């Protein structure tokens, strides 16, 4: 699919070298197509790396996707230049009155802090509440998923004995849900976190349906409100060497860190890691864009007073488990 970004975004050149169709705004205006509008609230410290990873993940359907990168104003980024942020990011106040087909809220390296201690917590809560009537479907990644479960359902995170780090095997649950369509029965996905939301606590929340989980890593994928809220506890967007970079970073800092599990061949960090999760990661984002974004939004977003009709159609069943097998999510 063509990814529509600003022509000077550094990730654009890298994606083009990977033969990913990237369209700048000049070419896009000549196509008579309404693009899918996706906002990305990027809370990760290495923002340019995350931009590339997420754009790569969104590039596998025929849809034209226009991405808007959003930044918080209550936190000063230390690992990304202000010139980059000022040129390629917008503040929430600039999009407050807009509507988006989808949104991604990333993780952040603040999991050892209480949610309310994070300097941009109030701003994040405002954005999460804003999505209720301005975004059709939102993906929350890693710490972002923990934050959303805490905000919406009061679920507390808990500290792990040691970092959940590496690739872990997961089992697919609830196969009738389109979000996991095309997934194998078991699959690998990356995790890199010090905390978790206990699976037994998630199961107590009737509104949440678990779609994939691991005996070791707990819940990986869950959803609520007919797919309006999607929680991804790991990092499917990570590229081949992300875990490698995190491992050597912590080693260099003298921090306690195990070799990432199931990542290096024979657990040898000198060997180039195998890429063993990309197909399922691509499938996840493709299914999200198709079934929960593209097929669930009207052609004219701005002409729609709100999304209540769409939401009511997706919420006709008390739980996704009740959705008929032949329902195709076309509104």
């Amino acid at each position: 699919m063509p990814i529509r970004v600003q022509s000077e975004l550094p990730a654009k050149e890298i994606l083009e070298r990977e033969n990913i169709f990237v369209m700048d705004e000049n070419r896009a205006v000549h196509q008579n197509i309404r693009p899918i509008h996706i906002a990305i609230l990027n809370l990760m410290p290495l923002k340019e790396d995350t931009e590339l990873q997420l754009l790569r993940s969104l590039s596998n359907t025929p849809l034209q996707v226009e991405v808007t990168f959003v930044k918080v104003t209550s936190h000063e980024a230390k690992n990304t230049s202000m010139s980059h942020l000022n040129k390629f990011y917008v503040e929430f106040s600039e999009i407050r009155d807009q509507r988006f087909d989808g949104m991604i809220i990333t993780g952040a390296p603040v999991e050892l802090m209480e949610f309310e201690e994070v300097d941009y917590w109030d701003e994040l809560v405002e954005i999460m509440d804003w999505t209720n009537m301005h975004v059709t479907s939102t993906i929350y990644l890693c710490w972002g998923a923990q934050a959303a479960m805490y905000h919406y359902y009061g679920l507390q995170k808990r500290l792990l004995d040691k970092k959940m780090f590496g690739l872990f095997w997961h089992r697919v649950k609830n196969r009738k849900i389109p979000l996991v369509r095309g997934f194998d029965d078991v699959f690998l996905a990356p995790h890199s976190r010090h905390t978790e939301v206990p699976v037994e606590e998630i199961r107590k929340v009737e509104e949440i349906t678990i779609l994939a989980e691991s005996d070791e890593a707990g819940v990986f994928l869950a959803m609520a409100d007919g797919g309006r809220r999607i929680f991804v506890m790991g990092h499917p967007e990570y590229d081949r060497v992300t875990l490698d970079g995190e491992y050597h970073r912590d080693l260099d800092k003298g921090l306690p860190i195990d070799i990432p599990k199931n990542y290096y061949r024979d657990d040898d960090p000198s060997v180039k890691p195998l890429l063993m999760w990309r197909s399922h990661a691509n499938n996840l984002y493709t299914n999200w864009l198709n079934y929960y974004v593209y097929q669930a939004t009207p052609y004219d977003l701005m002409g729609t007073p709100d999304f209540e009709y769409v939401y009511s159609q997706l919420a006709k069943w008390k739980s996704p488990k009740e959705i008929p097998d032949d329902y195709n999510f076309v509104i």
Side-chain angles (χ1 to χ4, degrees):
M1 115 181 85
I3 296 288
R4 180 173 167 180
V5 297
Q6 291 173 262
S7 58
E8 297 179 15
L9 185 74
K12 179 176 181 288
E13 182 179 349
I14 300 173
L15 292 169
E16 288 175 333
R17 289 202 301 266
E18 297 177 7
N19 292 320
I20 292 174
F21 184 11
V22 184
M23 180 183 298
D24 62 31
E25 57 269 26
N26 295 324
R27 179 171 179 180
V29 296
H30 293 91
Q31 293 197 347
N32 188 23
I33 298 173
R34 183 180 88 73
I36 301 300
H37 295 274
I38 303 296
I40 298 177
L41 179 62
N42 189 355
L43 303 173
M44 294 292 279
L46 301 177
K47 299 193 186 303
E48 293 186 52
D49 290 350
T50 302
E51 293 161 14
L52 177 60
Q53 292 165 6
L54 289 175
L55 290 174
R56 186 186 287 126
S57 298
L58 295 172
S59 66
N60 292 283
T61 78
L63 305 172
Q64 183 186 128
V65 176
E66 180 175 345
V67 173
T68 300
F69 288 105
V70 185
K71 62 182 177 180
V72 293
T73 58
S74 43
H75 176 79
E76 183 178 344
K78 298 180 177 65
N79 298 283
T80 304
S81 70
M82 286 303 299
S83 62
H84 183 88
L85 292 172
N86 291 335
K87 188 169 187 177
F88 300 113
Y89 281 69
V90 300
E91 297 178 358
F92 173 60
S93 60
E94 298 177 65
I95 63 167
R96 186 190 302 273
D97 296 329
Q98 298 181 33
R99 300 184 186 277
F100 289 86
D101 299 287
M103 187 169 193
I104 298 172
I105 296 179
T106 73
V110 293
E111 54 187 324
L112 297 181
M113 303 170 63
E114 296 298 327
F115 291 115
E116 291 82 1
E117 293 176 354
V118 177
D119 55 7
Y120 51 81
W121 176 250
D122 290 342
E123 187 174 2
L124 177 59
V125 166
E126 183 182 6
I127 293 171
M128 288 192 288
D129 288 341
W130 169 85
T131 66
N132 293 336
M133 294 307 298
H134 291 81
V135 181
T136 306
S137 178
T138 302
I139 286 182
Y140 300 90
L141 293 173
C142 200
W143 179 83
Q146 295 182 1
M149 285 190 171
Y150 174 72
H151 175 59
Y152 289 119
Y153 309 106
L155 294 176
Q156 295 281 354
K157 62 183 178 180
R158 69 181 175 194
L159 184 65
L160 297 168
D161 294 334
K162 63 178 181 178
K163 187 176 184 179
M164 190 73 64
F165 189 48
L167 303 178
F168 296 87
W169 288 102
H170 302 80
R171 300 182 309 279
V172 171
K173 318 284 284 188
N174 296 294
R175 276 205 165 274
K176 67 172 63 175
I177 306 300
L179 192 60
V180 292
R181 186 165 293 170
F183 277 50
D184 294 329
D185 289 338
V186 294
F187 64 95
L188 286 166
H191 289 263
S192 178
R193 50 186 169 81
H194 293 275
T195 57
E196 70 173 358
V197 180
V199 60
E200 60 270 18
E201 295 302 315
I202 296 175
R203 287 199 178 103
K204 293 177 183 178
V205 180
E206 184 177 352
E207 295 96 326
I208 299 177
T209 298
I210 297 173
L211 301 179
E213 62 181 297
S214 165
D215 292 337
E216 292 182 85
V219 171
F220 171 70
L221 181 62
M223 62 179 276
D225 295 345
R228 291 204 52 232
R229 297 172 185 158
I230 293 171
F231 312 101
V232 183
M233 294 299 184
H235 283 285
E237 78 283 359
Y238 272 10
D239 61 29
R240 181 193 302 271
V241 296
T242 306
L243 292 174
D244 178 74
E246 293 184 3
Y247 173 65
H248 286 96
R249 176 202 64 197
D250 288 357
L251 279 183
D252 293 342
K253 291 181 178 180
L255 299 175
I257 185 68
D258 291 338
I259 293 175
K261 190 162 187 176
N262 299 317
Y263 183 57
Y264 299 114
R265 189 177 302 171
D266 300 324
D267 285 340
D268 183 355
S270 67
V271 176
K272 182 180 180 180
L274 294 175
L275 185 57
M276 298 185 290
W277 64 94
R278 176 65 58 78
S279 60
H280 282 87
N282 289 343
N283 212 1
L284 171 63
Y285 285 99
T286 297
N287 288 342
W288 174 60
L289 285 173
N290 184 26
Y291 298 111
Y292 300 90
V293 177
Y294 174 68
Q295 294 195 35
T297 51
Y299 183 85
D300 183 3
L301 280 175
M302 298 309 296
T304 305
D306 57 49
F307 289 128
E308 288 183 358
Y309 172 73
V310 175
Y311 300 159
S312 68
Q313 296 303 297
L314 293 176
K316 288 190 292 186
W317 298 273
K318 293 181 180 179
S319 163
K321 299 174 185 176
E322 301 177 7
I323 298 174
D325 290 329
D326 60 352
Y327 185 66
N328 64 7
F329 274 68
V330 176
I331 302 302

